[in-house]
Amino acid sequence: MSSNARAGRPSRLTRNLSAKIASVPMMLTAVVIFLGGTLWTVIYSFTSSKLLPRLKFVGLDQYERLWSAPRWLVSIENLAIYGIFSLIFSMVIGFVLAALMDQKIRFENTFRTIFLYPFALSFIVTGLVWQWLLNPEHGIQSVVRAMGWAGFEFDPLYNSSIVIYGILIAALWQGTGLVMCLMLAGLRGIDEDIWKASRVDGIPMWKTYLFVVIPMMRPVFVTTLVIIASGIVRVYDLVVAQTSGGPGIASEVPAKYVYDYMFQAQNLGQGFAASTMMLITVAIIIVPWAYLEFGGGRKRV
């Protein structure tokens, strides 16, 4: 290639210059507000801030109080239970529904709308609906008993040992439709020749899904996993709408702990410490995903 042709090409810095200039306000917003707010939260988590923030450093005292608080330990346990089961059931149910929808069934658009509709509702609405459904006097238990099963019991929201599973039911009802749509989009991206080749070779469908389709859908699974996991860490609305953290503190979660300490207990330092722990959890989820998608997970040419 001649030097004149090289000189005529725009440099990497000036390429798509108008688009780069247009993105400057958003970049400044991200840096100043998001990054600045994050640093501000982390710094003040090492202070004794109460009603108002103040720069009186106390070292790791807030974190020591945090990890010695029974309420925080209960919220972490609940988040772990809720997170593990939510990830497993959301991915499995979403993929199974997507596989069924991918069979070119009749009224596919209708079923897809029905499954996705709960995701259009706010978490508060979902929580209130399932609070009523799981109410032993008016909900599912009452209906089943009225049908003749007098000994039937189904009141998870009023049982401290299983209350987190009642919240999980509502979360799965709302979020599984989105997972189904993401998985269905991935399945529709699979080349039709692969399905034809597997049928010609006599490979059972379940083996085709397990050893061919699912590995090809790795980016879809990773993205879906990140979306679900980020929602798990910040779960708040469902808990407030269904139980408000009860019975007692049995259904406490980290996001509610942060809100209560920052805006009700007027203990900003403790709230900032809990927020920082949540930030670390999100970073543990996001960083590996970003590395797989944009870093070493891809072959360099």
Side-chain angles (χ1 to χ4, degrees):
M1 186 181 292
S2 65
S3 59
N4 292 334
R6 290 179 180 175
R9 281 189 171 187
S11 66
R12 180 175 295 182
L13 182 63
T14 58
R15 194 179 301 164
N16 299 325
L17 185 60
S18 58
K20 292 178 180 177
I21 293 174
S23 66
V24 167
M26 182 57 68
M27 294 172 63
L28 290 176
T29 301
V31 171
V32 174
I33 296 180
F34 294 104
L35 184 58
T38 299
L39 291 174
W40 192 82
T41 299
V42 173
I43 291 171
Y44 277 89
S45 70
F46 296 99
T47 68
S48 60
S49 300
K50 294 294 184 181
L51 177 61
L52 296 173
R54 58 176 181 171
L55 277 174
K56 184 179 179 181
F57 290 98
V58 293
L60 297 174
D61 286 0
Q62 296 289 3
Y63 292 93
E64 291 176 0
R65 291 196 195 103
L66 180 69
W67 287 102
S68 61
R71 184 178 174 185
W72 174 255
L73 296 178
V74 169
S75 69
I76 292 298
E77 181 182 353
N78 285 336
L79 187 67
I81 295 172
Y82 174 86
I84 292 171
F85 284 102
S86 182
L87 280 174
I88 294 173
F89 285 113
S90 293
M91 298 290 278
V92 172
I93 297 174
F95 183 81
V96 170
L97 289 175
L100 294 175
M101 296 285 287
D102 194 43
Q103 305 304 312
K104 307 298 188 297
I105 62 174
R106 296 181 63 186
F107 308 112
E108 177 188 331
N109 292 335
T110 303
F111 284 113
R112 191 165 53 201
T113 302
I114 292 172
F115 287 129
L116 188 60
Y117 174 74
F119 188 74
L121 301 176
S122 71
F123 287 103
I124 293 293
V125 173
T126 298
L128 292 175
V129 168
W130 278 95
Q131 181 193 55
W132 181 83
L133 287 173
L134 298 178
N135 188 305
E137 296 182 0
H138 309 289
I140 297 172
Q141 176 176 299
S142 175
V143 172
V144 174
R145 286 186 176 184
M147 296 171 62
W149 286 276
F152 179 79
E153 291 187 6
F154 188 64
D155 57 347
L157 298 185
Y158 298 85
N159 187 334
S160 59
S161 61
I162 60 172
V163 62
I164 194 64
Y165 299 101
I167 297 171
L168 176 65
I169 292 171
L172 292 173
W173 179 79
Q174 181 165 30
T176 304
L178 175 65
V179 178
M180 180 205 70
C181 288
L182 294 172
M183 295 295 178
L184 184 59
L187 288 172
R188 293 286 163 86
I190 303 296
D191 194 341
E192 188 65 27
D193 292 338
I194 293 176
W195 298 106
K196 292 179 180 178
S198 66
R199 286 194 292 268
V200 170
D201 293 338
I203 302 175
M205 183 173 287
W206 68 269
K207 284 189 176 182
T208 305
Y209 276 112
L210 190 61
F211 298 109
V212 180
V213 173
I214 290 179
M216 293 180 67
M217 290 177 59
R218 186 191 69 86
V220 177
F221 275 94
V222 172
T223 301
T224 305
L225 188 67
V226 170
I227 293 173
I228 298 172
S230 61
I232 289 169
V233 173
R234 54 187 174 83
V235 62
Y236 172 80
D237 314 59
L238 280 176
V239 176
V240 171
Q242 288 186 271
T243 65
S244 295
I249 60 171
S251 60
E252 284 288 335
V253 289
K256 187 176 182 299
Y257 183 95
V258 171
Y259 179 87
D260 288 349
Y261 268 86
M262 291 184 70
F263 299 105
Q264 294 184 3
Q266 298 178 352
N267 190 339
L268 291 179
Q270 185 69 183
F272 289 146
S275 298
T276 303
M277 298 309 302
M278 291 181 64
L279 173 66
I280 292 173
T281 304
V282 172
I284 292 173
I285 296 169
I286 297 296
V287 170
W289 169 78
Y291 177 78
L292 288 172
E293 291 297 309
F294 308 110
R298 292 184 175 181
K299 294 181 180 179
R300 301 183 182 276
V301 180

